Amino acid sequence: MLFTAYVAFAVLLAICMGLEFSACRAKLAGSTCTNPAFLQFQLDYYQVYFLALVADWLQGPYLYKLYQHYHFLEGQIAIIYVCGFASSVLFGLVSTSLVDWLGRKKSCILFSLTYSICCLTKLSWDYFVLVVGRILGGLSTALLFSAFEAWYVHEHVERHDFPAEWIPATFSRAAFWNNVIAIGAGVTANFFAEWLGLGPVAPFMVSIPFLMLTGIFAMKNWDENYGKKRALSKTCVNGLKCLLSDRRVLLLGTIQALFESVIYIFIFLWTPVLDPYNPSLGIVFSSFMAASMVGSSLYRIATSKRYHLQPMHILSLSVLMVFFSLFMLTFSTNPGQENPSESFLAFLLIELSCGLYFPAMGFLRRKVIPEKDQVGVMNWFRMPLNLLACLGMLILHDSDYKTGTRNMFTICSVMMLMALLAVVSLFTVVRNNAELRVPSPQGHNELSSLEL
């Protein structure tokens, strides 16, 4: 398994480099934005945001292993994860309002403080302290996914008065480097935890300096900005009205809730499935991230002017691939007949599917959900998503380890079958809807020239 993980990582990394090199060559012919003020503004944003991403990704590979290292049972670990998921949904509901009220810059500094405390709790063997750490992790994650982007958009449009058409260029480049950082974070975590023999707590301690630098650079280089005050109840009511009045929104929310809850459960299960065969968990994690990056690159190629596939088709393919992967896992995790290599391959396919799914889902969400209702609708999307994930963890908590893992993958397969049915329904509803198609490449020459 150790050899398999390194070979898979090397192959996937080579494919990533080949796809990205090809993409860069294709874009050399176009012009790029050379506005020095905009480039400096981008750099100020990336400097803070990328440090936050490094700290976040470093904690991914060894979280489950850490709890296992402290001799907690799988059921106890599942409860800790449930607390994390529950805190994510609760803080996710109020994070936008909190960030707008507190200030985006202060919220980013708060992120660095709460996440640092979360990392410090990993030094404790006390179960309650670790649960509190996961709750703080949920708050920090909610701030990471709301405060940084909100700060950038406000500064871009309101303070610097740059064209709004330049915003996707910044986020496109951020998405690319997010993948690169995730791959590097896995290798770095592996270096400290296994190569140096410092144990699974080491990556969490390495994250703290990055979090401190995130707060310091935000405090030093960023100006404060605030959002409009919005009543949470009104936002949720408007989101619910939008959800119930448009069948496309309801079906899209169903697909998202089912797909992403399965991914949350996968995040919990991959370590106990593979760890008994002694792979390098950091390298396995980096392989997952490389597979996801391959998926993102394939999405970009598939929707390019050469192939011009539509996001709806790619969304369908990604859901089908995850269903097939989970079907494989119900056999490869069968007690007494475990096949770790087959399980690893299935996990890689799931990650590759995620690389296809998220840009496709993001495109369809932007087109289907009115901008004024997006926050409210997303709050309603998150509730079933996290509820399904928590229920899955609790079912596993009450099951025998071996059979429980296989049963969980079986349940996830059924959930993805339901997602497939929702995809088919959505496809029939939007089949002739030109609004949900990628515009012709000629209309995107200006935007493409700004992207990485």
Side-chain angles (χ1 to χ4, degrees), residues 64 67 73-82 85 262-273 392-393 396-397 405 408:
Y64 187 99
Y67 298 140
L73 301 175
E74 186 178 27
Q76 294 173 306
I77 299 173
I79 293 297
I80 298 177
Y81 271 75
V82 166
F85 290 142
V262 166
I263 298 306
Y264 279 177
I265 294 169
F266 152 71
I267 290 171
F268 174 80
L269 288 176
W270 74 265
T271 303
V273 169
M393 295 295 100
L396 188 65
H397 169 255
T405 299
M408 197 66 252

Side-chain angles (χ1 to χ4, degrees), residues 209-231:
F210 290 100
L211 290 166
M212 290 294 96
L213 288 173
T214 299
I216 290 169
F217 283 129
M219 192 182 303
K220 179 181 177 183
N221 299 332
W222 285 11
D223 295 315
E224 184 62 276
N225 64 57
Y226 299 85
K228 297 178 181 178
K229 293 182 179 179
R230 291 171 286 189

